[in-house]
mmCIF file of all heavy atoms in Angstrom:
data_model
loop_
_atom_site.group_PDB
_atom_site.id
_atom_site.type_symbol
_atom_site.label_atom_id
_atom_site.label_comp_id
_atom_site.label_asym_id
_atom_site.label_seq_id
_atom_site.Cartn_x
_atom_site.Cartn_y
_atom_site.Cartn_z
ATOM 1 N N ASP E 15 0.843 -1.269 -0.001
ATOM 2 C CA ASP E 15 -0.012 -0.048 0.074
ATOM 3 C C ASP E 15 0.946 1.244 -0.064
ATOM 4 O O ASP E 15 0.615 2.258 -0.789
ATOM 5 C CB ASP E 15 -0.903 0.019 1.206
ATOM 6 C CG ASP E 15 -2.045 -0.979 1.088
ATOM 7 O OD1 ASP E 15 -2.327 -1.494 -0.055
ATOM 8 O OD2 ASP E 15 -2.746 -1.338 2.066
ATOM 9 N N ALA E 16 1.972 1.224 0.771
ATOM 10 C CA ALA E 16 2.792 2.363 0.855
ATOM 11 C C ALA E 16 3.521 2.543 -0.493
ATOM 12 O O ALA E 16 3.539 3.781 -0.968
ATOM 13 C CB ALA E 16 3.931 2.141 1.913
ATOM 14 N N VAL E 17 3.998 1.518 -1.011
ATOM 15 C CA VAL E 17 4.703 1.572 -2.380
ATOM 16 C C VAL E 17 3.644 2.095 -3.428
ATOM 17 O O VAL E 17 3.964 2.919 -4.282
ATOM 18 C CB VAL E 17 5.310 0.151 -2.842
ATOM 19 C CG1 VAL E 17 5.683 0.191 -4.166
ATOM 20 C CG2 VAL E 17 6.467 -0.138 -1.849
ATOM 21 N N SER E 18 2.417 1.534 -3.397
ATOM 22 C CA SER E 18 1.346 1.962 -4.427
ATOM 23 C C SER E 18 1.136 3.336 -4.256
ATOM 24 O O SER E 18 1.000 4.139 -5.177
ATOM 25 C CB SER E 18 0.154 1.015 -4.206
ATOM 26 O OG SER E 18 0.414 -0.306 -4.480
ATOM 27 N N GLU E 19 1.080 3.762 -3.032
ATOM 28 C CA GLU E 19 0.746 5.136 -2.784
ATOM 29 C C GLU E 19 1.833 6.100 -3.275
ATOM 30 O O GLU E 19 1.603 7.191 -3.906
ATOM 31 C CB GLU E 19 0.525 5.503 -1.271
ATOM 32 C CG GLU E 19 0.036 6.905 -0.964
ATOM 33 C CD GLU E 19 -0.267 6.937 0.616
ATOM 34 O OE1 GLU E 19 -0.800 6.082 1.192
ATOM 35 O OE2 GLU E 19 0.270 7.984 1.121
ATOM 36 N N LYS E 20 3.088 5.712 -3.056
ATOM 37 C CA LYS E 20 4.230 6.403 -3.553
ATOM 38 C C LYS E 20 4.205 6.431 -5.130
ATOM 39 O O LYS E 20 4.537 7.511 -5.651
ATOM 40 C CB LYS E 20 5.627 5.892 -3.007
ATOM 41 C CG LYS E 20 5.741 6.195 -1.497
ATOM 42 C CD LYS E 20 7.056 5.703 -1.065
ATOM 43 C CE LYS E 20 7.271 5.823 0.446
ATOM 44 N NZ LYS E 20 8.511 5.341 0.878
ATOM 45 N N LEU E 21 3.920 5.257 -5.641
ATOM 46 C CA LEU E 21 3.966 5.309 -7.173
ATOM 47 C C LEU E 21 2.849 6.118 -7.672
ATOM 48 O O LEU E 21 2.958 6.851 -8.787
ATOM 49 C CB LEU E 21 3.811 3.711 -7.557
ATOM 50 C CG LEU E 21 4.935 2.827 -7.470
ATOM 51 C CD1 LEU E 21 4.627 1.507 -7.910
ATOM 52 C CD2 LEU E 21 5.961 3.366 -8.474
ATOM 53 N N GLU E 22 1.702 6.196 -7.005
ATOM 54 C CA GLU E 22 0.560 6.956 -7.537
ATOM 55 C C GLU E 22 1.035 8.492 -7.511
ATOM 56 O O GLU E 22 0.809 9.261 -8.440
ATOM 57 C CB GLU E 22 -0.626 6.784 -6.714
ATOM 58 C CG GLU E 22 -1.490 5.580 -7.087
ATOM 59 C CD GLU E 22 -2.044 5.679 -8.400
ATOM 60 O OE1 GLU E 22 -2.496 6.768 -8.835
ATOM 61 O OE2 GLU E 22 -1.991 4.599 -9.174
ATOM 62 N N LEU E 23 1.615 8.892 -6.361
ATOM 63 C CA LEU E 23 2.073 10.138 -6.117
ATOM 64 C C LEU E 23 3.066 10.507 -7.237
ATOM 65 O O LEU E 23 3.047 11.631 -7.774
ATOM 66 C CB LEU E 23 2.778 10.458 -4.739
ATOM 67 C CG LEU E 23 1.770 10.566 -3.527
ATOM 68 C CD1 LEU E 23 2.496 10.590 -2.222
ATOM 69 C CD2 LEU E 23 0.930 11.760 -3.769
ATOM 70 N N PHE E 24 3.974 9.569 -7.320
ATOM 71 C CA PHE E 24 5.140 9.836 -8.432
ATOM 72 C C PHE E 24 4.447 9.981 -9.730
ATOM 73 O O PHE E 24 4.878 10.804 -10.484
ATOM 74 C CB PHE E 24 6.073 8.755 -8.264
ATOM 75 C CG PHE E 24 7.157 8.808 -9.289
ATOM 76 C CD1 PHE E 24 8.283 9.773 -9.050
ATOM 77 C CD2 PHE E 24 7.207 8.166 -10.458
ATOM 78 C CE1 PHE E 24 9.273 9.849 -9.954
ATOM 79 C CE2 PHE E 24 8.314 8.236 -11.316
ATOM 80 C CZ PHE E 24 9.241 9.069 -11.126
ATOM 81 N N TYR E 25 3.520 9.184 -10.026
ATOM 82 C CA TYR E 25 2.861 9.138 -11.304
ATOM 83 C C TYR E 25 2.082 10.424 -11.485
ATOM 84 O O TYR E 25 2.083 11.035 -12.497
ATOM 85 C CB TYR E 25 1.914 7.884 -11.269
ATOM 86 C CG TYR E 25 1.287 7.691 -12.699
ATOM 87 C CD1 TYR E 25 2.247 7.268 -13.711
ATOM 88 C CD2 TYR E 25 0.109 7.705 -12.912
ATOM 89 C CE1 TYR E 25 1.528 6.976 -15.020
ATOM 90 C CE2 TYR E 25 -0.592 7.445 -14.179
ATOM 91 C CZ TYR E 25 0.234 7.103 -15.172
ATOM 92 O OH TYR E 25 -0.237 6.808 -16.283
ATOM 93 N N GLU E 26 1.446 10.885 -10.495
ATOM 94 C CA GLU E 26 0.591 12.092 -10.518
ATOM 95 C C GLU E 26 1.504 13.349 -10.626
ATOM 96 O O GLU E 26 1.270 14.181 -11.356
ATOM 97 C CB GLU E 26 -0.267 12.328 -9.308
ATOM 98 C CG GLU E 26 -1.494 11.428 -9.303
ATOM 99 C CD GLU E 26 -2.274 11.495 -7.982
ATOM 100 O OE1 GLU E 26 -2.207 12.488 -7.301
ATOM 101 O OE2 GLU E 26 -3.094 10.554 -7.914
ATOM 102 N N GLU E 27 2.645 13.283 -9.914
ATOM 103 C CA GLU E 27 3.605 14.399 -9.999
ATOM 104 C C GLU E 27 4.226 14.461 -11.389
ATOM 105 O O GLU E 27 4.600 15.529 -11.882
ATOM 106 C CB GLU E 27 4.653 14.334 -8.916
ATOM 107 C CG GLU E 27 4.212 14.655 -7.517
ATOM 108 C CD GLU E 27 5.277 14.375 -6.469
ATOM 109 O OE1 GLU E 27 6.385 13.996 -6.962
ATOM 110 O OE2 GLU E 27 4.883 14.466 -5.354
ATOM 111 N N HIS E 28 4.329 13.355 -11.935
ATOM 112 C CA HIS E 28 5.050 13.355 -13.222
ATOM 113 C C HIS E 28 4.098 12.926 -14.320
ATOM 114 O O HIS E 28 4.213 11.898 -15.013
ATOM 115 C CB HIS E 28 6.275 12.337 -13.269
ATOM 116 C CG HIS E 28 7.258 12.733 -12.183
ATOM 117 N ND1 HIS E 28 7.185 12.422 -10.883
ATOM 118 C CD2 HIS E 28 8.391 13.424 -12.357
ATOM 119 C CE1 HIS E 28 8.203 12.929 -10.267
ATOM 120 N NE2 HIS E 28 9.049 13.508 -11.158
ATOM 121 N N ASN E 29 2.934 13.686 -14.354
ATOM 122 C CA ASN E 29 1.956 13.419 -15.370
ATOM 123 C C ASN E 29 2.391 13.655 -16.833
ATOM 124 O O ASN E 29 1.981 12.991 -17.639
ATOM 125 C CB ASN E 29 0.774 14.376 -15.012
ATOM 126 C CG ASN E 29 -0.498 13.844 -15.517
ATOM 127 O OD1 ASN E 29 -0.590 12.667 -15.927
ATOM 128 N ND2 ASN E 29 -1.631 14.654 -15.407
ATOM 129 N N GLY E 30 3.307 14.508 -16.954
ATOM 130 C CA GLY E 30 3.916 14.693 -18.205
ATOM 131 C C GLY E 30 4.569 13.453 -18.752
ATOM 132 O O GLY E 30 4.778 13.244 -19.877
ATOM 133 N N LEU E 31 5.107 12.756 -17.783
ATOM 134 C CA LEU E 31 5.904 11.567 -18.115
ATOM 135 C C LEU E 31 4.970 10.595 -18.802
ATOM 136 O O LEU E 31 5.249 9.938 -19.783
ATOM 137 C CB LEU E 31 6.510 10.897 -16.946
ATOM 138 C CG LEU E 31 7.946 11.138 -16.729
ATOM 139 C CD1 LEU E 31 8.282 10.972 -15.303
ATOM 140 C CD2 LEU E 31 8.718 10.167 -17.617
ATOM 141 N N ARG E 32 3.640 10.590 -18.353
ATOM 142 C CA ARG E 32 2.735 9.704 -18.886
ATOM 143 C C ARG E 32 2.497 9.931 -20.357
ATOM 144 O O ARG E 32 2.372 9.057 -21.184
ATOM 145 C CB ARG E 32 1.422 9.797 -18.101
ATOM 146 C CG ARG E 32 0.392 8.639 -18.475
ATOM 147 C CD ARG E 32 -0.877 8.726 -17.796
ATOM 148 N NE ARG E 32 -0.848 9.147 -16.400
ATOM 149 C CZ ARG E 32 -1.914 9.366 -15.682
ATOM 150 N NH1 ARG E 32 -3.035 9.467 -16.217
ATOM 151 N NH2 ARG E 32 -1.843 9.770 -14.350
ATOM 152 N N ASP E 33 2.357 11.220 -20.654
ATOM 153 C CA ASP E 33 2.161 11.680 -22.120
ATOM 154 C C ASP E 33 3.430 11.201 -22.952
ATOM 155 O O ASP E 33 3.322 10.739 -24.036
ATOM 156 C CB ASP E 33 1.907 13.103 -22.129
ATOM 157 C CG ASP E 33 0.660 13.474 -21.475
ATOM 158 O OD1 ASP E 33 -0.313 12.571 -21.306
ATOM 159 O OD2 ASP E 33 0.488 14.584 -21.094
ATOM 160 N N MET E 34 4.574 11.444 -22.370
ATOM 161 C CA MET E 34 5.717 11.054 -23.112
ATOM 162 C C MET E 34 5.827 9.579 -23.286
ATOM 163 O O MET E 34 6.227 9.124 -24.315
ATOM 164 C CB MET E 34 6.936 11.517 -22.397
ATOM 165 C CG MET E 34 7.217 12.946 -22.574
ATOM 166 S SD MET E 34 8.659 13.903 -21.838
ATOM 167 C CE MET E 34 9.857 12.595 -21.479
ATOM 168 N N LEU E 35 5.398 8.916 -22.381
ATOM 169 C CA LEU E 35 5.474 7.522 -22.405
ATOM 170 C C LEU E 35 4.522 6.913 -23.473
ATOM 171 O O LEU E 35 4.776 6.003 -24.144
ATOM 172 C CB LEU E 35 5.230 6.730 -21.033
ATOM 173 C CG LEU E 35 6.394 6.738 -20.179
ATOM 174 C CD1 LEU E 35 5.901 6.133 -18.823
ATOM 175 C CD2 LEU E 35 7.466 5.885 -20.633
ATOM 176 N N ALA E 36 3.315 7.569 -23.440
ATOM 177 C CA ALA E 36 2.315 7.182 -24.392
ATOM 178 C C ALA E 36 2.851 7.420 -25.854
ATOM 179 O O ALA E 36 2.563 6.669 -26.718
ATOM 180 C CB ALA E 36 1.060 7.940 -24.049
ATOM 181 N N VAL E 37 3.546 8.624 -25.998
ATOM 182 C CA VAL E 37 3.938 8.969 -27.362
ATOM 183 C C VAL E 37 5.107 7.974 -27.786
ATOM 184 O O VAL E 37 5.162 7.526 -28.949
ATOM 185 C CB VAL E 37 4.561 10.284 -27.370
ATOM 186 C CG1 VAL E 37 5.249 10.748 -28.595
ATOM 187 C CG2 VAL E 37 3.443 11.375 -27.095
ATOM 188 N N LEU E 38 5.952 7.585 -26.812
ATOM 189 C CA LEU E 38 7.071 6.822 -27.126
ATOM 190 C C LEU E 38 6.649 5.352 -27.419
ATOM 191 O O LEU E 38 7.085 4.654 -28.405
ATOM 192 C CB LEU E 38 7.960 6.561 -25.971
ATOM 193 C CG LEU E 38 8.950 7.917 -25.788
ATOM 194 C CD1 LEU E 38 9.729 7.677 -24.452
ATOM 195 C CD2 LEU E 38 9.874 7.896 -26.930
ATOM 196 N N THR E 39 5.594 4.912 -26.723
ATOM 197 C CA THR E 39 5.051 3.648 -27.114
ATOM 198 C C THR E 39 4.295 3.549 -28.396
ATOM 199 O O THR E 39 4.279 2.497 -29.045
ATOM 200 C CB THR E 39 4.175 3.109 -25.873
ATOM 201 O OG1 THR E 39 3.272 4.023 -25.443
ATOM 202 C CG2 THR E 39 4.956 2.477 -24.751
ATOM 203 N N SER E 40 3.648 4.673 -28.685
ATOM 204 C CA SER E 40 2.928 4.633 -29.991
ATOM 205 C C SER E 40 3.909 4.735 -30.995
ATOM 206 O O SER E 40 3.711 4.115 -32.149
ATOM 207 C CB SER E 40 1.915 5.835 -30.035
ATOM 208 O OG SER E 40 2.661 7.074 -29.958
ATOM 209 N N ARG E 41 5.061 5.346 -30.975
ATOM 210 C CA ARG E 41 6.071 5.341 -31.985
ATOM 211 C C ARG E 41 6.654 4.008 -32.143
ATOM 212 O O ARG E 41 6.935 3.621 -33.281
ATOM 213 C CB ARG E 41 7.145 6.386 -31.696
ATOM 214 C CG ARG E 41 6.896 7.772 -31.991
ATOM 215 C CD ARG E 41 8.105 8.455 -31.874
ATOM 216 N NE ARG E 41 7.910 9.887 -31.767
ATOM 217 C CZ ARG E 41 8.726 10.689 -31.471
ATOM 218 N NH1 ARG E 41 10.024 10.408 -31.107
ATOM 219 N NH2 ARG E 41 8.392 11.998 -31.298
ATOM 220 N N GLY E 42 6.990 3.413 -31.044
ATOM 221 C CA GLY E 42 7.652 1.969 -31.035
ATOM 222 C C GLY E 42 6.685 1.019 -31.731
ATOM 223 O O GLY E 42 7.176 0.219 -32.445
ATOM 224 N N ASN E 43 5.470 1.265 -31.671
ATOM 225 C CA ASN E 43 4.492 0.244 -32.267
ATOM 226 C C ASN E 43 4.375 0.531 -33.679
ATOM 227 O O ASN E 43 4.190 -0.351 -34.508
ATOM 228 C CB ASN E 43 3.135 0.466 -31.591
ATOM 229 C CG ASN E 43 3.003 -0.083 -30.253
ATOM 230 O OD1 ASN E 43 3.872 -0.866 -29.855
ATOM 231 N ND2 ASN E 43 2.062 0.356 -29.349
ATOM 232 N N LYS E 44 4.597 1.915 -34.092
ATOM 233 C CA LYS E 44 4.556 2.208 -35.615
ATOM 234 C C LYS E 44 5.614 1.735 -36.261
ATOM 235 O O LYS E 44 5.615 1.395 -37.528
ATOM 236 C CB LYS E 44 4.299 3.742 -35.810
ATOM 237 C CG LYS E 44 2.965 4.233 -35.259
ATOM 238 C CD LYS E 44 2.868 5.626 -35.591
ATOM 239 C CE LYS E 44 1.673 6.343 -34.943
ATOM 240 N NZ LYS E 44 1.435 7.784 -35.196
ATOM 241 N N GLU E 45 6.762 1.838 -35.684
ATOM 242 C CA GLU E 45 8.036 1.434 -36.381
ATOM 243 C C GLU E 45 8.214 0.031 -36.422
ATOM 244 O O GLU E 45 8.248 -0.869 -36.940
ATOM 245 C CB GLU E 45 9.124 1.955 -35.644
ATOM 246 C CG GLU E 45 9.212 3.452 -35.798
ATOM 247 C CD GLU E 45 10.495 3.897 -34.880
ATOM 248 O OE1 GLU E 45 11.363 3.302 -34.630
ATOM 249 O OE2 GLU E 45 10.531 5.177 -34.818
#
């Protein structure tokens, strides 16, 4: 629970990262 909470916080704080990851994964799938 503590790790999940930290990951959620980290994930929320780095919301931009999610977008970048989504872009990267979509490019990798296209290539």
Side-chain angles (χ1 to χ4, degrees):
D15 288 345
V17 168
S18 292
E19 189 178 312
K20 285 181 183 178
L21 282 174
E22 280 296 321
L23 282 174
F24 181 77
Y25 190 64
E26 285 177 14
E27 286 177 3
H28 299 84
N29 206 4
L31 257 157
R32 192 184 314 172
D33 293 338
M34 279 180 26
L35 281 174
V37 170
L38 284 176
T39 43
S40 62
R41 272 193 205 169
N43 286 339
K44 290 180 185 179
E45 291 178 11

